Every structure is written in structure tokens, then in C-alpha cells.
Amino acid sequence: MRGRAWQGTAMAAIAVALTIATAAPATAKGGDRLRIESLSSDPMLVTGGDTLIAVDVPKGTPSSHVRVQRNGVDVTDAFEFHSADRRLVGLVDGLDPKQNRIAALARGANRAAELTVFNTPIAGPLLSGPHQTPFVCTTADAGLGAPTDTDCSAPTQVEYRYRSTGGAFKPLADPTSRPADLAQTTTRDGTTVDYVVRIESGTINRSIYRWAVLAPGGVTGEGWNGRLVYGFGGGCGTGYQQGSDGIGTVLDDRQLSQGYSVASASLTVLGTACNDVLSAETVEMVKEHIIESLGRAPVWTVGDGGSGGSIQQQMIAQNYPGLLDGLMPGASFPDTGQPNYPDCRLLNAYFATADGQALSDAERRAITGLADPDGCLALGAGADVVKATEGCDESLLGPLIYDPVTNPGGARCTIWDSMVNVYGRDPATGFARRTLDNVGVQYGLVALQQGALTVKQFLDLNQGIGGYDNDGNIVAARSVADPEALALAYRTGRINQTAGGFTAVPIVDLRDYVDDEINVHQYLNTFITRARLIAAHGTAANQVMLRAKGGQSVTAMRDAALDTIGRWLDAIAADDSNRPAAEKVIADKPADAVDACWISGQRIDEPAQIGGSGQCQTTYAPHSLPAQQAGRPLDSLVVKCQLKPIAAADYPPMNAAQSQRLAAIFPDGVCDWSKPGVGQQPLAATWQQFGPDHYVKARKRDLSLRIERHRRDPKVELTARMTPCPQTAWQRVSIQRQRGRQTWRPLVSGVVTGRKCRWTTRVRFAGRTLVRAHANPVDGFTGTHSKRLTIRPR
């Protein structure tokens, strides 16, 4: 079995971790004769009452001799034998809530293969902790009708579209019909099929999902290339609502025409909920449904999406390895912990003061590091999720939103409240613990050191910058982080340390260059990820940077990205060596998987470098950001800095009054970027869970033994019976004989079968003998034995 999910309290310590990879084989306990795998999910993370199961049948055993049970009920008819790999594969439904036992037994075998699965409702939660409340449903707006319950569920809908010869997707009422303008497509594996697409829409994990796959002639998955593209949406919101996810998100001609299956969901749009644990949970559940529907797991799954979509991909790769096998992040950020959004809002407020308005355009650029003097306007607007009254969709939530006076118990619209199951609550306020901090940060330090700011301007800026109160309002005092929140951010993976599974996936990073615009998507963020990779692992060989600007160039870049990541992942999938996954990623990297840019539609291969002189670097030069202009190194993982005493050598000459003023602004010292952050520590583990419990409680079994002797028969007939029945059918029992006062030796064993869960054997005994029936502990059941009985000679 791959792993078992354990969960700590939602508001306190993190859960003990799983180190599992979704859809990897889950091997059953039991001998070498049969093996059981959970194909659609980890066996402890099954949802919706069904799971796709495979039973490996050894050579020499006819498949017709194998029976499969679910909690003692025969479900063999649900399985189909695949002779090529000698597998029985079937969808086992009707699972009980929580734990279930699936067992397989071959005729004549004395041991069953068995697997315990834990079933969670399709509405979740699976691992992200208690559902967020309040929660507004949007199924009607999504075309799915009114919700059918408080979990915003809606009936599943299926529709078909076809690609016309004119290049448009058109509705197709009857998927078996062939319109006159029906186009065909040749997939990446060379199969030519009618270009008909099946689109499924429904709800999973309170999320609206969309899933598209080729279905020529109405046959779902005909022409599927065996690979899945999961699309992630951008933005950063704080939830309390279901979000939106239109059919257009999966009607991607570039991907569908090559035979990819394409999926997305409203809770993997970070603009709905800026909660990467919720994103991972939703991907897990949607993938499980797709695998069950298609009857097999994809060869690999690649993530796709920009901005907030890039954050989800990269954090899932670190924290929940196995969900995504490769990443195509666009307009990327490394994680949600970057300080530039709140810093820019503070800077925008300062620029509106008299001292700020006196700064020239060049001086403001020197402070922010951005190409445009007003560049912080976009980043500052993105800091809505810092403010408890602004980070929600007001058009949906309206009066439900927190107000300190009129609605103090309302929905607090901050990123930390969105992830309160991770951060817990501050007992003093009842609000979510917060990581926001700028104590000791010297804004514009680099500009001062380079002579772009005067000492007075630097002091004015840092005296006037301020911070945020608990509700996210700008105040004169600097922001101070909650120490426990800081520790949790590192331990639980909210900071992308490129740890966990991050180096085990190939990353093709796409940058639609906008540094010369007022735009949040600054190129430096991709270099931050690369710097962290190099600092932690000595290499960034699993990351490739592509960049472009303009329609023709961006299209060429996106085509190349999908082709590159596809060939890279195929090579990794074909690598049957024993090398670690991180080594395979580098060893199997295609020769042309290199940094490149496109200018006027033409590709130029050139290493991505800050300050480089090549054509790509001069055309698409990365700029800086406010945090870096405050002295923060590119590879820094610091959320709250450790402080050091002010050193005069770090500044241009100051007079006595200026030195006194600097000391007053930073009475406890300034950031020491050479040290780890306050609370900084390694990622505790992957696959951390925050609820609900996934404990498999070991159930008790009763085992009885009956003795019968038949006239003139020298052997004794022993019958063991196990209860509860039929749940305990096909479990192994041994007859033991006592040797000495404390020692029991096994004599013979077998499997309890039939409607009464019995096993009968005949054994010859000489002399007075003490015997008992015994069953070892197995998944989901404690060990047990019967009362001892005495066999006396005739």
C-alpha cells in the first residue's frame, strides 16, 4: 500500500505527511499470487463511492479462477481481463463511507490479496480541512442549474462539439452524425480521427469542473493520446464562493487536436480561492474521476496556466508530488508569499504624500525597480487580499463580508483567512494568523547605495512607509508577523523552497514579456525560482525559460512549450532505470529543451541571464522589484527578516542628525539578509493534510473453532468461523498447536470462505493436544484467536 493519510487538528499542528504519488501502484498485502492496485487515486484518498481497481493475475492462473469482493460482496462482474498485461480492471462502486476492504482470491489459493480503501464524499473535503463558510453557489450562472444541496452540487452534463473545417468549435447534438464541415485531426501519436469532442461538466469538491476529450462517433476517449493537460486559472482571491469555469477553458485546439485530454475546475482558479492546498485537493479528485471514466490512468499529467495558475502548479509540485508530472507555468510567480504586492500598496500610498510626490520618475523607478515609474499601481491593486474587507468578490458576497463595525462576524477576505485551516487562529483576535511583516525592511536601500536617492529621501521613505493593521488597513506602524504563522508557512509548504517533489518534474516556463508595461507579471519572478533551485540543489536543469512578446511570437512559444514538455515527459516515462526521479528529469531532457526567446516569430536559443548582452536579454530584459531594491537577495526564502545593528558602512555618509533619525526609524535594527528568516525551516513533508481524519480504525474480529470426530476416522475435523461475515471472507486462518505454556506453533492454514466465513480442515493428532484458531492482523482488522480447545486421544 502506498501510504495512509493522517490528520492533525485543523487549527493547530500540521498533519503527519504522506510521501505518495497519486495514481502510482497501491500494492495489496497478500502473497505473490495476486496483487491489487488502486489506479484512480491513493487508496486512502478515494472519493465519490467508487474506485478503479486492477488485479494482477500471475501466469498459470486463469483469469476466470479469480474472484473479487468489496466488503464481502462479489463484484467480479465489474472486471474485464486485459490479456496483454494479465490484469483484471474494474470500477468498484457501492463503497461504504470511510473504510472498505477489497479482496481478490484465486481458486485453490490459501491467501487472498487485499486492499483497504478510505472513501470520502465527492463534495469533499479530502485533505484541505473543514469547508470554508459562508459559501455562495454559482452553478446556475455556469449553466448547470440550481444547486441541489448546500455543497453546491449539480447534475453532471455532457455535450459534444466538433471542429469545423473553418476552424470553429460548433455544437453537435448527435455525436454519431458527421456534419459536412466536420474536420479531422491527427494526434501526436499519428492517429487520424474525426475532430469531435466530448465535454463533461459537473461538480466535484464544491467546484465546477470541465473535462474535454476526443470522442469521434460518440466513443469517449477514441483518439486520446493517453496524456492529460490540467489547466489552472490565474488571479488571487479569498474564496467563500464556488467561482466560474467556462467550457472555453477546456476547448483548447492546440491540446485537443493532438489528442490530449483537458481538464480544469473553478477551485483551481486562484482568483476564486488563493489556497493551493484546496487546489491540490481539487486536482486529486478531478483526476480520480477522469481515470475512472476512461478506465486507465494517463501516462503523465502536465499542468498549464499563467500567473496564479503558475503558483498552483509549482506549489503542487513541491507539496503534492505525483499529481503533476510536468509543469508549463506562464507569467510565473514562485508562490503566494512574495512581498511585492503589499509593498507596492504601501509605496503607492507614500508616493501620494507630499514627500512622495516630490520624487522624480527616475527616483520612483529606483525605489521599485520597475521599468515604469507607475509600475507599482498594478501590483498594489493586487494587494486586496491583504485587506479583510476587499479580497472577496463583492458582487457575490455583498453583505456577507466582514465589517469591523456592522458585521464583525462576517467573511474576512484575506489570504490568511482563506487558508485558516493551515495557519490557525490568533487566540487574541480570533482572526487567522498572518505572515505579513516589514519590520527592518529598508525600502530603496539599493537606490541609496547606488546614488539614485539622497539620504533624506531614503529616510523620508522609510519613516513614512508604514504597514498594515489586522484588517489590512495602512497604518503608520510596520506590520508584524505572527511567529506561529511563520513557522507554519515553512513547515507546510506555503513558501516554495523547491523542496519535496519540485526537482522531480520538468518545468517549461513561458514568459509573455510585459516588463515594459504597468503589469504585475514581472520577468524577475522566474529568475527567483531559478535562483532558489540553484541555491538548494546546485542546478536548475529541470527548468527551461521561454520568452516572447506579440501574437506571432507568443503562439510559436506556446507551440514549442507543449511539444518540448511532451517529448521530455515521454522520455521520462520510458526510462525504466533505477535512477531517482530528479536524476531522470535531467538525464532524459531533450537536447533542444533550452532557454530560448522568439523575436518576430523566430526562435533564438540563448541562456536566460540577468544583465546579459544577448539578443534575448536586451529585447526581454528582466527588471527588479521593490523587495530586491530593499536588499533582499534573489534566492531568499525570508518572510520576516532577522535584524542586525545599523552599520554606518552600509550607507553614504550621514551627519549626526541623519544617523539619529535612521536609528529612530529602525530602533531594533535592520534586515540581515545573510541569515535565514524568522521561523525559517525545511518543508516538514509532502502530502500534508489538514482534515478530515483518514484513520483506518482496526476493527475487531471474532474467531471460533469447532472440533468434530467421526467414527473410525483417525483425523480430527476442525472448523474455524470468523465474524463479522461476509466482511471478513477470504481472510487467512491458521490452526496452532501449543508447545509449552507460552508457545504456539502453526500446523496448517487456509482461507475462510462461503456465506458463513468458514474453513474446515482435517488433522491427525497423537495424544492430548491443545489447539486454537489464529488470524494475524491485516489492514483494517486486529489480530484474533479462538478459545483454546483440547483434543484428547480416543
Side-chain angles (χ1 to χ4, degrees):
M1 182 181 289
R2 281 182 289 158
R4 186 172 292 176
W6 309 103
Q7 187 257 325
T9 58
M11 304 305 173
I14 62 171
V16 175
L18 286 171
T19 52
I20 60 175
T22 300
T27 305
K29 290 185 177 180
D32 298 329
R33 294 184 176 276
L34 296 172
R35 288 164 58 90
I36 298 181
E37 295 181 9
S38 172
L39 297 180
S40 48
S41 69
D42 182 86
M44 293 297 99
L45 301 178
V46 169
T47 63
D50 53 17
T51 181
L52 188 66
I53 293 293
V55 179
D56 290 331
V57 182
K59 292 180 179 179
T61 300
S63 62
S64 58
H65 288 188
V66 178
R67 309 299 296 173
V68 185
Q69 287 185 349
R70 177 210 64 226
N71 299 325
V73 177
D74 193 293
V75 292
T76 309
D77 288 346
F79 285 77
E80 180 180 346
F81 185 61
H82 298 254
S83 58
D85 49 9
R86 296 197 58 76
R87 285 192 136 187
L88 287 163
V89 178
L91 184 67
V92 177
D93 56 13
L95 298 177
D96 293 337
K98 299 187 177 180
Q99 66 193 73
N100 296 261
R101 174 176 174 263
I102 299 172
L105 183 68
R107 186 186 303 168
N110 69 350
R111 186 187 295 268
E114 52 190 321
L115 186 68
T116 296
V117 301
F118 195 98
N119 174 40
T120 298
I122 196 67
L126 182 65
L127 53 83
S128 66
H131 277 152
Q132 185 183 49
T133 57
F135 196 77
V136 177
C137 302
T138 58
T139 53
D141 292 339
L144 299 178
T148 59
D149 56 29
T150 56
D151 287 319
C152 299
S153 303
T156 301
Q157 297 180 8
V158 175
E159 61 182 284
Y160 294 85
R161 304 277 178 98
Y162 75 94
R163 186 78 169 179
S164 73
T165 52
F169 283 111
K170 295 183 177 181
L172 185 63
D174 179 3
T176 63
S177 65
R178 298 192 80 257
D181 60 344
L182 171 64
Q184 289 192 315
T185 187
T186 300
T187 65
R188 71 189 297 266
D189 54 10
T191 303
T192 299
V193 295
D194 287 344
Y195 199 164
V196 175
V197 181
R198 178 187 184 272
I199 305 134
E200 181 177 302
S201 304
T203 57
I204 292 176
N205 197 33
R206 302 205 304 178
S207 177
I208 297 166
Y209 75 91
R210 311 285 184 176
W211 169 43
V213 66
L214 290 176
V219 181
T220 301
E222 183 74 19
W224 178 42
N225 67 24
R227 280 83 176 154
L228 173 65
V229 177
Y230 195 102
F232 295 87
C236 183
T238 59
Y240 301 105
Q241 49 106 0
Q242 196 172 22
S244 60
D245 186 53
I247 285 176
T249 60
V250 294
L251 276 178
D252 187 303
D253 175 60
R254 177 184 287 108
Q255 296 164 359
L256 290 170
S257 64
Q258 296 186 51
Y260 289 101
S261 180
V262 186
S264 66
S266 60
L267 292 185
T268 51
V269 176
L270 213 64
T272 303
C274 217
N275 182 334
D276 61 282
V277 179
L278 180 62
S279 298
E281 174 181 74
T282 304
V283 173
E284 162 75 20
M285 296 174 71
V286 171
K287 273 190 68 174
E288 178 191 19
H289 172 68
I290 292 171
I291 293 167
E292 290 169 351
S293 300
L294 291 171
R296 60 186 172 111
V299 176
W300 45 258
T301 301
V302 64
D304 182 30
S307 191
S310 75
I311 293 172
Q312 293 170 86
Q313 292 178 66
Q314 294 178 105
M315 297 184 79
I316 286 172
Q318 172 180 259
N319 300 319
Y320 297 94
L323 282 179
L324 300 175
D325 302 294
L327 315 181
M328 289 192 297
S332 65
F333 302 92
D335 52 41
T336 55
Q338 295 302 294
N340 294 294
Y341 284 97
D343 280 354
C344 266
R345 179 164 287 193
L346 294 176
L347 287 168
N348 289 334
Y350 178 76
F351 292 155
T353 67
D355 288 336
Q357 288 177 341
L359 294 168
S360 68
D361 286 354
E363 289 163 344
R364 287 161 64 190
R365 285 195 297 266
I367 291 169
T368 65
L370 302 168
D372 192 291
D374 294 321
C376 254
L377 292 177
L379 282 161
D384 284 355
V385 294
V386 168
K387 194 166 183 179
T389 58
E390 288 184 0
C392 295
D393 187 332
E394 295 181 17
S395 66
L396 288 173
L397 287 157
L400 299 175
I401 295 174
Y402 164 87
D403 183 280
V405 176
T406 62
N407 192 18
R412 286 179 57 82
C413 303
T414 76
I415 187 172
W416 300 280
D417 289 283
S418 179
M419 299 196 73
V420 70
N421 294 337
V422 173
Y423 289 113
R425 296 187 184 276
D426 179 348
T429 63
F431 304 152
R433 293 190 177 99
R434 193 175 69 167
T435 58
L436 191 62
D437 194 283
N438 68 341
V439 174
V441 175
Q442 301 181 83
Y443 294 93
L445 176 64
V446 173
L448 172 69
Q449 293 172 335
Q450 293 177 344
L453 286 183
T454 67
V455 170
K456 180 182 184 304
Q457 289 171 325
F458 171 75
L459 294 174
D460 289 344
L461 169 62
N462 282 282
Q463 184 172 341
I465 193 69
Y468 296 93
D469 67 12
N470 278 333
D471 287 342
N473 300 302
I474 295 178
V475 293
R478 298 270 181 135
S479 307
V480 180
D482 182 292
E484 181 62 18
L486 292 169
L488 285 166
Y490 290 108
R491 289 205 307 269
T492 67
R494 310 286 65 79
I495 306 301
N496 181 5
Q497 304 185 50
T498 70
F502 199 82
T503 57
V505 296
I507 304 169
V508 177
D509 188 282
L510 296 82
R511 178 65 57 176
D512 188 346
Y513 184 81
V514 292
D515 273 32
D516 50 359
E517 304 173 15
I518 299 176
N519 196 297
V520 301
H521 303 114
Q522 296 296 301
Y523 188 11
L524 191 72
N525 286 290
T526 302
F527 285 94
I528 290 173
T529 302
R530 177 164 289 187
R532 292 182 183 182
L533 276 166
I534 294 170
H537 310 286
T539 179
N542 69 314
Q543 184 207 49
V544 170
M545 286 193 204
L546 306 180
R547 55 266 200 220
K549 186 177 181 66
Q552 181 185 15
S553 291
V554 170
T555 297
M557 176 181 68
R558 295 192 181 282
D559 289 343
L562 185 59
D563 174 67
T564 300
I565 198 76
R567 290 185 288 110
W568 199 346
L569 286 168
D570 281 347
I572 294 169
D575 186 342
D576 58 1
S577 70
N578 293 324
R579 287 180 296 205
E583 292 183 14
K584 288 184 178 182
V585 169
I586 298 173
D588 299 324
K589 185 177 182 179
D592 61 347
V594 296
D595 295 348
C597 76
W598 279 258
I599 299 175
S600 300
Q602 299 300 308
R603 175 173 178 151
I604 301 169
D605 291 345
E606 180 184 298
Q609 298 174 342
I610 295 175
S613 58
Q615 191 173 0
C616 291
Q617 298 312 303
T618 54
T619 304
Y620 304 124
H623 292 80
S624 190
L625 286 164
Q628 277 62 53
Q629 296 303 102
R632 175 185 172 120
L634 208 60
D635 61 0
S636 174
L637 300 172
V638 172
V639 179
K640 175 181 176 62
C641 66
Q642 294 192 55
L643 301 178
K644 65 178 181 179
I646 294 171
D650 292 338
Y651 310 93
M654 294 187 185
N655 60 38
Q658 290 172 331
S659 296
Q660 291 174 358
R661 186 180 177 196
L662 179 65
I665 294 170
F666 297 105
D668 299 315
V670 295
C671 284
D672 186 348
W673 297 110
S674 69
K675 294 181 179 179
V678 176
Q680 184 172 331
Q681 57 196 276
L683 175 71
T686 59
W687 282 90
Q688 295 178 36
Q689 302 185 24
F690 307 91
D693 291 344
H694 286 76
Y695 290 112
V696 174
K697 182 179 180 181
R699 292 171 284 183
K700 292 183 178 180
R701 298 172 291 176
D702 290 325
L703 186 58
S704 62
L705 182 64
R706 188 182 69 195
I707 299 176
E708 283 192 63
R709 303 192 80 148
H710 299 281
R711 189 177 299 175
R712 298 196 183 107
D713 189 341
K715 293 185 177 181
V716 176
E717 184 175 277
L718 303 173
T719 299
R721 183 179 180 187
M722 189 179 289
T723 57
C725 189
Q727 288 87 349
T728 55
W730 297 355
Q731 293 193 10
R732 195 164 182 241
V733 173
S734 65
I735 302 299
Q736 296 180 333
R737 178 180 183 177
Q738 190 172 33
R739 292 287 193 185
R741 291 189 175 183
Q742 303 296 327
T743 304
W744 290 87
R745 298 282 179 84
L747 291 172
V748 65
S749 65
V751 176
V752 295
T753 59
R755 290 181 296 173
K756 296 185 178 181
C757 297
R758 293 190 305 193
W759 168 62
T760 300
T761 186
R762 296 170 68 244
V763 182
R764 185 191 296 270
F765 292 94
R768 183 176 180 275
T769 307
L770 290 176
V771 296
R772 71 178 186 182
H774 176 80
N776 288 326
V778 294
D779 252 355
F781 292 97
T782 59
T784 186
H785 56 77
S786 70
K787 294 179 179 178
R788 65 182 187 177
L789 300 178
T790 303
I791 298 176
R792 302 179 188 278
R794 287 185 180 275

